[in-house]
Amino acid sequence: MSATGPVNGGGLRARGLSVGYGGEPVVRDLDLDVPPGGLTMIIGPNGCGKSTLVKALARAVRPVAGEVLLHGRDLASYRGKEAARHVALLPQSPIAPEGISVRGLVRRGRYPHHSLLRQWSPDDDAAVGEALERTGLTGLAEATVTELSGGQRQRAWIAMVLAQRTELLLLDEPTTFLDIAHQYELLELCAELHREGRTVVAVLHDLNQAARFASHLVVMDAGRIVAQGAPGEVLTAELVADVFGLACDIVPDPRAGTPMVVPHARHAAVVPGGAAR
Amino acid sequence: MTPLERTAASGPRGVVTLGSRVALPVHGRQLLVGAVVVLLTAVASVATLSLGELGIALADLPSAVTGGADGADAFVVERLRGPRLVVALGTGAALGLSGALFQSVTRNPLGSPDVIGLASGAGAGAAVVALMMPGEVPVSLGALVGAVAAMVLVYVSTGSGFRNPGRLVVAGIGVAAMATAFTQYVVYAVERDKATALTAYVNGSLAARSWDDAATIGVVLLVVVPLALLLGRRVEIGEMGDELAGVLGAEPQRTRVSAVVLSIVLSAGAVAVAGPIAFISLTAPQIARRLTRGTGAHLALATLTGALLLVLADLVAQQSPIDDGLPVGIYTMAIGGVYLGWLLTREWRRGSL
């Protein structure tokens, strides 16, 4: 355990992490300290390795080099269920078993807390009930997952990982397929968990949303981290031009004061009185 | 009672506890359905022993099955219908469980080891033994060797063992086609007259089974059923996709390989004693799933349903006025065809096909 690590042993860290699927590594020799209790948002262009990084942090893919450390110990050395009691991951496209109810799905999040002969634990009902309540699904608990709307379904999956009651929660593009109101609803839930002290890591596509909600912003490009820190310091017009190839202005978000990306208009109609550069 | 109070209570609802180490959830509906299936199986078993010319009168049945019969009744119980009934129960159970495991881990509702060539391999093995070296080796052993050889071929030709469900099915269909072609060749090349001896076998039959056959399938079940039940919960979590199941700690790929191997052992055991009986492993898990309206692999219920289906089919085969020599496999194939037709029209109406 490093002397600089926080009291809890340093939470989740990547050291010299390379991950690939046979060919060129998608994540290359990457170091990351996930700030304990932080709301970390990972952004980057398509194919930059951000999804692969969160998967590796949750042990859904094995590194080809380097390691992921959980409380100072190599994550690969944890037993499956033991790791799952610390780290939860919601993948991009999870599969709902045919005919499963919302409550049934959420209850499966309790699996890591069970053993072969003890498939029930005293905390189960409380954890499942709380997860349903936080996601506003208590009234839909007995509904079948497949008959829910897209937004409700995503909330059911979030409830499942919440029921796992891990200190670390990793979400891979949780807002994809949601309409804008549901996107913000989900981001508010992340912010709420963060305020309660939970460590949350999310991969996001929308830079403005990431900048508005993140306590720690990680920018990736070509398998590496190119910048990280407070959104106000990290997100600059130069960085967006370099990483995303998009010319833009950064203006303060009128509501939150966080940096907001305003792309330069190329083909769109220019509003009279709009600033030209 | 509020949910909180219920949590605080020592004896949770719907959970059976034994000390502090054992706590298993029970599902009321599944228990009820299971009990009904067992009851129906008992009724069908009694009918199997007592119907028809040689049937034992209901009044004499209790003493007959406990060894108190004499004369014709003893012959029926000990030689004729007794072993046949027990083989039907065991083989049906093995096929039901085999299909439930296979369908769950390959996420394919039409899956069973037959789809990947187990039955065709068994047929090819049986053909070689029955036609090319008649009398030297038992046909059932040839079938078993053929089935195992086909499965080894599938395992090798996918390039990823039994881990990838898609490749498994594609390679399996190829192996099945080759095995069928090989059987046809042997039948054609050797002697077409002798081939009639093989047809009963290729369709799967329960006629003239012995207590040895019953013991064989009994041992297979005794070994595999406990292992399958231990694997059950992981199989269930695996239905949520490999990525999520892995993160939850359910080791999906290892679970899949174990489940496919257990499924193959069960089907191979069934093939060894009864030949390739079609459709039980396909339909039993589907029927079990629809009866409980729940989720999961329904391993226990699929096992019971398989036993019920095969006993029923064999009862029909024995008592049918059409032809008393028709092998049971032909009846199960008819049942399966009707079932598939129903399934397809239903999915078609719902617009999901």
Side-chain angles (χ1 to χ4, degrees):
Chain A
M1 221 176 284
S2 81
T4 53
V7 205
N8 67 3
L12 196 60
R13 293 180 298 179
R15 286 289 172 270
L17 184 69
S18 292
V19 193
Y21 305 96
E24 278 284 291
V26 183
V27 167
R28 300 159 197 223
D29 192 23
L30 178 147
D31 290 342
L32 173 69
D33 288 18
V34 173
L39 175 49
T40 302
M41 300 252 179
I42 306 175
I43 56 172
N46 290 335
C48 70
K50 51 193 190 300
S51 281
T52 303
L53 173 61
V54 287
K55 281 182 204 170
L57 291 176
R59 214 169 73 159
V61 287
R62 296 283 156 114
V64 289
E67 55 186 4
V68 174
L69 299 166
L70 174 64
H71 297 314
R73 207 178 110 199
D74 187 356
L75 190 60
S77 72
Y78 282 75
R79 296 178 67 108
K81 285 185 185 172
E82 194 188 356
R85 288 193 289 267
H86 293 281
V87 186
L89 167 74
L90 180 59
Q92 261 178 57
S93 35
I95 303 166
E98 199 189 319
I100 198 167
S101 68
V102 173
R103 187 187 298 281
L105 186 80
V106 177
R107 194 172 278 150
R108 291 194 173 185
R110 299 299 297 163
Y111 174 76
H113 300 271
H114 297 159
S115 66
L116 203 55
L117 292 175
R118 243 192 105 71
Q119 297 181 5
W120 174 88
S121 79
D123 298 333
D124 283 5
D125 289 350
V128 171
E130 191 200 315
L132 287 170
E133 205 181 305
R134 302 208 63 157
T135 48
L137 288 173
T138 310
L140 286 168
E142 308 311 324
T144 309
V145 172
T146 41
E147 69 193 24
L148 300 179
S149 72
Q152 290 167 337
R153 202 175 305 160
Q154 186 67 343
R155 269 151 54 202
W157 283 111
I158 301 272
M160 195 220 87
V161 287
L162 284 181
Q164 222 175 311
R165 285 201 168 162
T166 54
E167 74 249 27
L168 279 137
L169 192 57
L170 311 183
L171 307 167
D172 191 358
E173 299 196 16
T175 54
T176 320
F177 307 123
L178 297 183
D179 63 40
I180 190 154
H182 285 121
Q183 288 181 16
Y184 277 92
E185 194 177 82
L186 194 141
L187 291 164
E188 293 290 356
L189 178 62
C190 292
E192 207 178 294
L193 294 167
H194 160 58
R195 280 196 295 275
E196 288 163 14
R198 200 90 74 105
T199 307
V200 182
V201 179
V203 171
L204 280 198
H205 259 300
D206 189 311
L207 305 190
N208 295 336
Q209 287 177 348
R212 183 156 169 173
F213 286 90
S215 69
H216 187 78
L217 190 65
V218 173
V219 186
M220 284 186 72
D221 191 18
R224 296 198 170 85
I225 292 175
V226 290
Q228 59 176 318
E233 294 160 19
V234 170
L235 204 61
T236 61
E238 292 73 34
L239 179 109
V240 175
D242 276 0
V243 173
F244 293 90
L246 178 77
C248 70
D249 291 334
I250 302 286
V251 300
D253 179 318
R255 284 274 169 192
T258 50
M260 195 167 87
V261 176
V262 180
H264 291 173
R266 228 180 290 169
H267 302 294
V270 178
V271 183
R277 216 169 88 165
Chain B
M1 221 187 340
T2 67
L4 262 178
E5 276 168 336
R6 200 160 74 215
T7 318
S10 57
R13 234 174 38 147
V15 180
V16 172
T17 53
L18 192 71
S20 62
R21 302 243 161 171
V22 180
L24 298 170
V26 267
H27 307 285
R29 194 182 165 89
Q30 286 182 15
L31 279 185
L32 183 72
V33 172
V36 170
V37 171
V38 168
L39 192 71
L40 289 175
T41 310
V43 170
S45 302
V46 167
T48 300
L49 293 176
S50 58
L51 280 182
E53 235 176 276
L54 291 168
I56 302 162
L58 279 181
D60 299 336
L61 203 55
S63 70
V65 291
T66 48
D70 49 10
D73 282 3
F75 181 71
V76 169
V77 169
E78 284 161 24
R79 291 290 179 83
L80 212 55
R81 294 192 188 171
R84 180 172 183 161
L85 173 65
V86 173
V87 171
L89 285 168
T91 306
L95 289 173
L97 180 55
S98 170
L101 285 167
F102 198 91
Q103 291 178 7
S104 182
V105 296
T106 56
R107 291 188 203 103
N108 182 351
L110 298 178
S112 78
D114 289 347
V115 172
I116 60 165
L118 185 125
S120 314
V128 169
V129 167
L131 301 180
M132 289 179 146
M133 40 181 118
E136 289 171 38
V137 184
V139 176
S140 60
L141 183 65
L144 190 62
V145 170
V148 170
M151 292 304 96
V152 169
L153 200 58
V154 171
Y155 187 92
V156 173
S157 58
T158 55
S160 56
F162 295 142
R163 283 195 295 275
N164 183 323
R167 285 192 197 175
L168 184 61
V169 170
V170 173
I173 288 173
V175 169
M178 291 193 303
T180 307
F182 183 72
T183 308
Q184 304 286 347
Y185 166 75
V186 171
V187 169
Y188 183 81
V190 179
E191 218 174 320
R192 268 170 268 180
D193 299 343
K194 281 191 196 163
T196 45
L198 196 65
T199 46
Y201 180 78
V202 168
N203 286 313
S205 169
L206 288 168
R209 293 306 112 148
S210 67
W211 288 113
D212 285 348
D213 296 318
T216 303
I217 196 68
V219 167
V220 169
L221 286 172
L222 217 59
V223 172
V224 177
V225 168
L227 294 174
L229 293 180
L230 288 181
L231 204 64
R233 185 93 165 118
R234 286 180 168 209
V235 168
E236 202 177 289
I237 297 294
E239 290 186 347
M240 302 169 90
D242 280 12
E243 209 166 65
L244 194 50
V247 173
L248 284 170
E251 298 179 320
Q253 299 213 330
R254 255 167 72 180
T255 304
R256 177 172 300 119
V257 174
S258 313
V260 168
V261 168
L262 292 181
S263 170
I264 286 172
V265 170
L266 287 165
S267 278
V271 156
V273 299
I277 291 180
F279 283 116
I280 300 285
S281 55
L282 185 82
T283 46
Q286 296 292 323
I287 291 173
R289 178 175 290 237
R290 277 166 182 80
L291 286 176
T292 57
R293 287 193 226 128
T295 52
H298 301 306
L299 299 184
L301 193 57
T303 311
L304 298 176
T305 309
L308 172 62
L309 286 181
L310 193 52
V311 169
L312 277 179
D314 196 42
L315 178 62
V316 175
Q318 288 184 63
Q319 300 300 332
S320 165
I322 306 171
D323 182 338
D324 55 9
L326 221 50
V328 67
I330 290 181
Y331 290 94
T332 61
M333 219 181 287
I335 297 174
V338 170
Y339 170 76
L340 273 183
W342 173 79
L343 189 71
L344 289 175
T345 36
R346 207 182 65 118
E347 308 280 293
W348 178 68
R349 282 213 191 105
R350 283 199 320 197
S352 57
L353 199 77

